[in-house]
């Protein structure tokens, strides 16, 4: 137990130092913009990330440390919950410590304690639901249903995919002679009502905005799954191997599968819990990956219970395969730790030019250039981009956090910027446009359908050590005439 607290404390303190060393990344800058426009919810995500960033930046300001402080707290608390859940299920501090060590040797837990996205709070509240179900299994006390219900609401305030835990819990209940009795009591249903009450700000926001967020995350995504693309499945496997590291991914999947088989043979509900709470996530996103590019972080909730299953498999199972994995524990975890260290060192200094895929470099230089051009264009000028991430970085890096606009200016969607910007109020004004699209002819033609005059500037190259890391393209745009295409300018 003492070793766990020393390890957890060291993890927490190291994260507090590290988060202050990195510039705020584009996706974080976007959620920081959320926090500057506090609302019940937002177009592409529920509000937990925004609310958390707003809380800590209100306390300490907009430095990277306070933008990210919430993610360190969430990730550290998740490790504590994983340790506690393992103890509740198996009564072993040693097994709990093994789960925590495995988690720390993946990339996804350290990254969750570095970059603020909706995933860190999702993982925390998902793990709290798992803990509540483990407590319910151990004690039989109905109060744990209500703990799980509140955690479900908080998880759904973090990310919509939290709803996938419900079919997992239902399967766990239905397939157990002992647990099935809960379905004939009011407690699970009242717990869901508690979750919906906690989640109600998102429902209210959607009702006020024509159900825009629910539509974006459901029907519009399904519309994109109209072709069979098996290569996306292999890309998913590769991304998960990178995120968990190869050994831990294999051990996690083997442990999860073993938990399901062991439950079927023994009817031990502990292993059923670990198996079924991960099953809907694995099933949905694996099936989706044959038609749609599944992002590497979408699978993360499944690993909460699967890591515990992996530690149990390595500890309790027998056979040649598990014996081989036991022999490879030290080199497997060492490789994971090495990859974690490399992932932390790489962002601290520019080594390799990534071009269009670079999310680390050039934001201060771009912001200075864009705002200098804006100042030259006179009062009323504004800055916008065809990429919401560029707009967010300019807003974050400007001295007074000046608002920038996104693709809604050109009649595109602009995601959440669509709800912050009213293009009609900008008609007649000049603007600075920023993009990473190097097709000057196509960009100029598009801009000219919305502005009277468009003049490209020389490219802004971000150069370190004689290497060009990325290039931005800026345009001076005069007399905006609205988001809809018009021939009035010609």
């Amino acid at each position: 137990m003492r070793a766990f607290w020393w390890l957890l404390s060291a993890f927490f303190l190291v994260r507090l130092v590290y988060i202050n060393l990195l510039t705020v990344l584009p996706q974080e800058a976007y959620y920081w913009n959320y926090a500057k426009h506090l609302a019940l919810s937002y177009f592409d995500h529920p509000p937990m990330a925004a609310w958390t960033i707003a809380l800590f930046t209100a306390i300490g300001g907009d430095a990277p440390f306070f933008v990210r402080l919430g993610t360190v707290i969430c990730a550290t608390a998740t490790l504590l919950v994983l340790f506690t859940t393992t103890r509740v299920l198996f009564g072993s501090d040693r097994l709990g410590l093994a789960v925590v060590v495995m988690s720390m040797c993946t990339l996804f837990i350290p990254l969750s304690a570095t970059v603020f996205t909706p995933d860190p709070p999702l993982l925390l509240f998902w793990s709290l639901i798992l803990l509540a179900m483990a407590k319910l299994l151990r004690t039989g006390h109905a109060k744990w249903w209500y703990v799980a219900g509140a955690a479900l609401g908080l998880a759904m305030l973090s990310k919509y995919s939290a709803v996938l835990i419900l079919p997992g819990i239902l399967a766990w209940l239905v397939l157990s002679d002992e647990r099935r009795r809960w379905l004939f009591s009011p407690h699970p249903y009242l717990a869901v009502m508690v979750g919906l009450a906690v989640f109600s700000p998102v429902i209210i926001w959607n009702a006020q905005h024509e159900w825009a967020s629910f539509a974006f995350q459901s029907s519009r995504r399904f519309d994109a799954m109209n072709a069979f693309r098996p290569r996306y499945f292999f890309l998913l496997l590769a991304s998960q191997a990178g995120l968990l590291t190869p050994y831990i991914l294999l051990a996690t999947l083997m442990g999860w599968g073993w938990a399901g088989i062991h439950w079927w043979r023994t009817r031990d509900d502990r292993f059923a819990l670990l198996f079924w709470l991960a099953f809907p996530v694995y099933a949905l996103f694996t099936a989706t990956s044959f038609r749609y590019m599944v992002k590497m972080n979408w699978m993360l909730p499944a690993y909460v219970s699967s890591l515990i299953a992996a530690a149990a498999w390595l500890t309790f199972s027998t056979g040649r395969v598990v014996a081989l994995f036991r022999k490879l524990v030290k080199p497997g975890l060492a490789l994971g730790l090495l990859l974690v260290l490399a992932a932390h060192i790489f962002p601290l200094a520019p080594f390799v030019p990534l071009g269009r895929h670079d999310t680390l470099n050039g934001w201060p230089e771009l912001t200075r250039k864009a705002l200098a051009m804006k100042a030259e264009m006179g009062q009323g000028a504004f800055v916008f981009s065809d990429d919401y991430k560029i707009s967010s970085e300019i807003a974050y890096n400007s001295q007074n956090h000046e608002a920038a606009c996104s693709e809604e200016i050109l009649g595109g969607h602009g995601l959440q910027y669509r709800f912050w910007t009213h293009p009609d109020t900008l008609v007649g004004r000049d603007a600075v446009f920023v993009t990473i699209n190097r097709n000057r002819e196509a960009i100029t033609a598009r801009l000219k359908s919305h502005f009277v005059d468009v003049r490209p500037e020389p490219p802004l190259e971000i150069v370190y050590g004689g290497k060009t890391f990325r290039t931005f393209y800026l345009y001076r745009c005069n007399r905006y005439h609205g988001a809809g295409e018009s021939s009035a300018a010609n």
Side-chain angles (χ1 to χ4, degrees), residues 109-140:
I109 287 292
L111 288 178
S112 293
T114 303
V115 179
F116 207 125
T117 68
D119 292 302
L122 169 66
L123 294 176
L124 171 59
F125 298 124
W126 186 290
S127 66
L128 282 171
I129 298 171
L130 174 62
L131 175 59
M133 292 296 96
K135 287 281 192 178
L136 179 73
L137 178 61
R138 181 175 177 179
T139 67

Side-chain angles (χ1 to χ4, degrees), residues 4-5 8 11-12 15 70-87 96 99-101 103-104 106 108-113 117-131 155 158 300-305 307-308:
F4 164 73
W5 285 110
L8 192 69
F11 177 85
F12 182 70
R15 306 321 302 178
T71 198
V72 176
I73 294 172
C74 286
T76 306
T78 299
L79 291 173
L80 175 60
V81 175
L82 283 174
F83 178 80
T84 305
T85 303
T86 307
R87 290 183 69 204
V99 171
V100 171
V101 170
S103 301
M104 289 183 178
T106 67
F108 86 88
I109 287 292
L111 288 178
S112 293
T117 68
D119 292 302
L122 169 66
L123 294 176
L124 171 59
F125 298 124
W126 186 290
S127 66
L128 282 171
I129 298 171
L130 174 62
L131 175 59
S158 304
L300 294 185
Y303 301 135
V304 170
S305 58
L307 281 165
I308 299 176

Side-chain angles (χ1 to χ4, degrees), residues 25-43:
L25 300 183
Q27 202 69 30
E28 291 179 292
Y30 184 47
Y31 301 134
W32 170 87
N33 270 273
Y34 274 15
K36 295 304 177 184
H37 299 80
L38 279 178
L40 293 176
S41 191
Y42 301 89
F43 173 72

Side-chain angles (χ1 to χ4, degrees), residues 136 165 184 207 227 301 415 466 468 473 489:
L136 179 73
I165 205 168
F184 301 98
L415 298 179
T468 300
Y473 301 90

Side-chain angles (χ1 to χ4, degrees), residues 200-214:
S200 62
V202 178
I203 300 174
I204 294 170
W205 186 92
N206 272 274
Q208 294 172 341
H209 295 86
E210 301 178 343
W211 310 103
S213 185
F214 290 161

Side-chain angles (χ1 to χ4, degrees), residues 433-464:
F433 175 71
V434 183
T435 184
I436 57 173
N437 190 330
R438 45 180 176 257
N439 189 338
R440 290 284 206 176
E441 184 176 345
I443 290 294
T444 300
R446 188 181 183 194
L447 291 171
K448 282 186 175 180
S449 67
H450 299 276
F451 290 87
V452 171
D453 185 49
V454 175
R455 288 173 290 162
E457 287 283 304
L460 174 63
E461 295 185 341
I462 306 302
V463 180
Y464 300 125

